[in-house]
Every structure is written in structure tokens, then in C-alpha cells.
Amino acid sequence: HEQFTKKHITAITVCNYREAKALFSGGSIFDQTQLTSLEVLARNIKIIVESLARFIYQKPEQYLDIVSHSHSVNSAFLASWSRFMGSNPRAFPFLTEESPASLELERALRQHVSDVTKHSFQLESVYKFYKSGTYATTLTAFRVKSMSFDLLLSLAIVAYLLLLHLSLQYGSVSEFLKSLKQKKQ
């Protein structure tokens, strides 16, 4: 929210986690819309709308039943948007002004709101984000050995170097062991 505060944009985060996750640890590019419960999503939308209404109209203790009857959450509309958002990339590098998600959100807002304007701004961050103008981006992944392999290989190298050192210093490992016995006596 720091970035939005600097630009004087009101922002909130709605999530079900008690504590914030580490930066960039909660996202995924693999949306699975079949795992999303539309009933839970509709319930959460209703809770958010009613909370915002209580905040806007300054009635924190009063129950405002705004999302009901003709103003209730439309299940078909919600299912359609869920499918659309699940089939279009929304990660920062792919979310340009001409991306399908941006254009469709703007079109939907223009249907229901009279004044819609876009504001572009740069995020000031220690991280560098790269935008992709097209979707023809190649993602390359490599399968690498696990850390246990590196550890085992390192131990084998250290053991080899130790044996090499002992054989050069004492002629053989048995000579080294004899010299240790003599030092103890």
C-alpha cells in the first residue's frame, strides 16, 4: 500500500490470512478456476460490499442489506468473469494497457460507471519489473540436482582432498595413523 499512498490512491487488501506472506511468495501463474468456489466468492463479495457501504455511509454498527434482491451477486456474471480471469494472464509483466484483462475490466466499468479514467504510474521499488509487450514470451525451466547431491559431492571432495593431503604428507594413511599412536604414547 506504500506505493499507492505515495500516489494518493486509496487501496485495501482483502485476504483470509492473519499475517502477511513474504513478498512474491503467494502468487501463482497457474490459475485453476475449477478449484474456486463461486458460492464462497459471492459471499465474500457481499461481505466486502456491505463493509464498504458501512464505511462510506459512516454506519459501522448498523447492518446494511445492500446486496439483496435485484442488487444481489449475479452467479452467471461471476462465473463468466471467473472463467475469463482464469484464462488470461494478470501477472505484472503481461498486464499492459492493451492486455485483454485491462481492456475487459475497463469495458465492464464503462457499462456500470459514468466516469472511467486510466492512470498509469511507475512502481517505486527495490525490485526491477520487466514488462512484456506481447504474449510470445518463452519461459524456460531447468531440472537441477537437489541440495543433498551438492552436499554429498562436497563431502566426497573434502574426503578425497584429505586423503590426498595425508598420503602426500605421510606417504600413506597407515603411516599417518602410526604417527598418531606414537604421539599419544
Side-chain angles (χ1 to χ4, degrees):
H1 296 289
E2 179 182 352
Q3 298 298 323
F4 295 111
T5 303
K6 287 179 181 177
K7 303 291 182 185
H8 302 290
I9 298 172
T10 304
I12 64 168
T13 298
V14 180
C15 73
N16 62 346
Y17 300 113
R18 295 196 183 277
E19 295 180 14
K21 287 185 169 185
L23 192 59
F24 304 123
S25 68
S28 173
I29 60 171
F30 303 110
D31 285 332
Q32 296 180 342
T33 54
Q34 67 272 17
L35 299 178
T36 304
S37 170
L38 294 179
E39 293 81 22
V40 172
L41 186 58
R43 182 202 64 200
N44 291 347
I45 289 171
K46 182 178 179 180
I47 290 169
I48 292 168
V49 168
E50 289 174 355
S51 300
L52 283 173
R54 274 188 249 131
F55 176 76
I56 291 169
Y57 296 116
Q58 298 176 355
K59 307 217 182 250
E61 284 82 31
Q62 187 176 352
Y63 175 71
L64 300 174
D65 190 21
I66 295 174
V67 186
S68 62
H69 308 296
S70 65
H71 297 302
S72 64
V73 178
N74 185 338
S75 300
F77 182 76
L78 194 59
S80 172
W81 269 101
S82 179
R83 279 191 308 275
F84 175 77
M85 291 305 233
S87 63
N88 287 290
R90 299 176 315 279
F92 183 73
F94 302 110
L95 197 58
T96 63
E97 290 187 19
E98 295 82 28
S99 66
S102 296
L103 294 174
E104 193 62 26
L105 281 171
E106 184 179 5
R107 187 189 67 74
L109 279 172
R110 287 191 190 280
Q111 285 180 347
H112 302 286
V113 180
S114 60
D115 185 21
V116 177
T117 56
K118 281 188 196 179
H119 296 282
S120 297
F121 61 90
Q122 293 292 324
L123 288 176
E124 298 165 6
S125 174
V126 296
Y127 299 101
K128 178 74 175 163
F129 294 102
Y130 296 96
K131 284 192 171 186
S132 171
T134 64
Y135 293 109
T137 303
T138 303
L139 176 67
T140 306
F142 296 97
R143 185 175 214 154
V144 296
K145 301 286 183 202
S146 66
M147 189 176 135
S148 59
F149 174 79
D150 292 338
L151 185 61
L152 193 62
L153 183 63
S154 298
L155 289 174
I157 291 171
V158 167
Y160 171 75
L161 290 175
L162 183 62
L163 288 173
L164 181 65
H165 173 72
L166 292 175
S167 65
L168 290 175
Q169 188 78 21
Y170 296 98
S172 70
V173 178
S174 61
E175 293 292 327
F176 171 70
L177 293 174
K178 286 179 186 177
S179 69
L180 278 179
K181 284 183 183 180
Q182 289 174 359
K183 284 182 185 179
K184 283 185 180 181
Q185 294 174 357

